[in-house]
Amino acid sequence: MRTAENPDPALVRAATALAARLGTDDNHSVAAARDADGRVVTGVNVYHFTGGPCAELVVLGAAVAEGAGPLVRIVAAGDRGRGVLPPCGRCRQALLDLWPDIEVLVPGTGGGVRAVPVRELLPHTYVWADHQEPDPS
């Protein structure tokens, strides 16, 4: 059921189900994104001790490769039952630059999930002028 405290349960289920299938390997997370047509695309982070792309960045590339339309919502979930995870700063910046109107699902109160516009997750941000208009406020 879609509520203010659970705005896209199917998207959260897609991410958490994929995270559960990963088993107990090193610190995996996955992301699932929904495009404007309702299509869901998933991706898995590439964990390596030197770094690597987060699941949110992988799902952005997968969405392009699969021909998905404009992304309207994204969520990340951790393996080993860690649940919904907020994006790191690098992912917040990339999401804002590429999809400035996207909603990000983050942990809410009492174990719920809430949708937050990416602009609210990264206030006073650097604006990559070639890719977006500055926030008028």
Side-chain angles (χ1 to χ4, degrees):
M1 169 190 253
R2 180 184 160 90
T3 66
E5 193 57 31
N6 195 7
D8 197 335
L11 192 63
V12 173
R13 280 193 304 275
T16 55
L18 181 54
R21 285 195 306 270
L22 291 175
T24 58
D25 290 344
D26 289 72
N27 197 26
H28 287 296
S29 62
V30 303
R34 183 179 302 285
D35 75 3
D37 294 327
R39 180 179 181 176
V40 173
V41 178
T42 59
V44 178
N45 72 325
V46 180
Y47 177 76
H48 189 264
F49 74 92
T50 62
C54 297
E56 293 90 340
L57 299 181
V58 173
V59 84
L60 293 180
V64 171
E66 294 181 22
L71 299 179
V72 297
R73 191 170 294 127
I74 192 167
V75 64
D79 63 347
R80 297 172 290 193
R82 291 182 294 145
V84 172
L85 305 171
C88 73
R90 177 178 69 168
C91 289
R92 292 173 192 211
Q93 184 70 56
L95 288 168
L96 180 67
D97 290 340
L98 300 172
W99 302 107
D101 296 321
I102 197 167
E103 289 183 333
V104 182
L105 301 183
V106 297
T109 58
V113 175
R114 63 187 182 100
V116 179
V118 71
R119 290 179 191 276
E120 290 181 22
L121 289 180
L122 197 60
H124 312 291
T125 184
Y126 168 82
V127 175
W128 190 18
D130 292 342
H131 288 81
Q132 73 184 48
E133 293 296 317
D135 187 0
S137 55

